[in-house]
Amino acid sequence: MGTLLVGLRRFLANEAIDDELWDDLDAVLGEFTPPASHEIAAITARFRRATTTLVEIVPSLVRPYPLWPLQRLIFLSAEHPSPEYARGHLNRLAMGILDLLELMGDDAV
């Protein structure tokens, strides 16, 4: 039963952490041109969907319970800044997701 549970958790992690999420993180945090203004809303929406899944699965994959990183990501995901602050918000949201992915280690790959 334990093996099945581990497999299910890894499957859920893979559902949330797909190539599109990595591409979005690279677009926001990478060294190349940041996303254009018209792309920010779409990337933010995808980050919010990923946040929902990560909040559900990370507590079962990471010990000790990552209270602060999860709370930070939940609060960031709930924010809806005005357009002039959208790029900064997107950067903070991306960093919050990346923090959780780093805590997950191999389960995030």
Side-chain angles (χ1 to χ4, degrees):
M1 192 66 147
T3 305
L4 179 63
L5 187 57
V6 168
L8 179 60
R9 288 176 180 157
R10 286 183 185 269
F11 173 77
L12 291 173
N14 288 334
E15 286 293 308
I17 307 161
D18 58 5
D19 290 336
E20 186 177 39
L21 179 64
W22 287 111
D23 291 343
D24 286 342
L25 287 169
D26 188 44
V28 174
L29 301 173
E31 59 188 68
F32 300 108
T33 306
S37 297
H38 66 278
E39 297 173 313
I40 290 176
I43 294 173
T44 301
R46 288 192 295 269
F47 281 173
R48 285 189 177 117
R49 282 192 303 273
T51 296
T52 301
T53 306
L54 287 171
V55 166
E56 292 174 1
I57 63 171
V58 165
S60 61
L61 295 173
V62 176
R63 298 283 185 244
Y65 187 86
L67 180 62
W68 168 242
L70 280 171
Q71 281 182 334
R72 179 174 180 254
L73 188 58
I74 291 167
F75 292 145
L76 286 170
S77 181
E79 289 179 2
H80 294 276
S82 59
E84 67 257 16
Y85 300 112
R87 187 174 305 278
H89 175 259
L90 183 63
N91 286 341
R92 288 188 300 279
L93 191 55
M95 289 299 296
I97 290 172
L98 193 59
D99 285 346
L100 280 180
L101 295 178
E102 287 177 0
L103 288 173
M104 288 175 62
D106 290 340
D107 290 325
V109 177

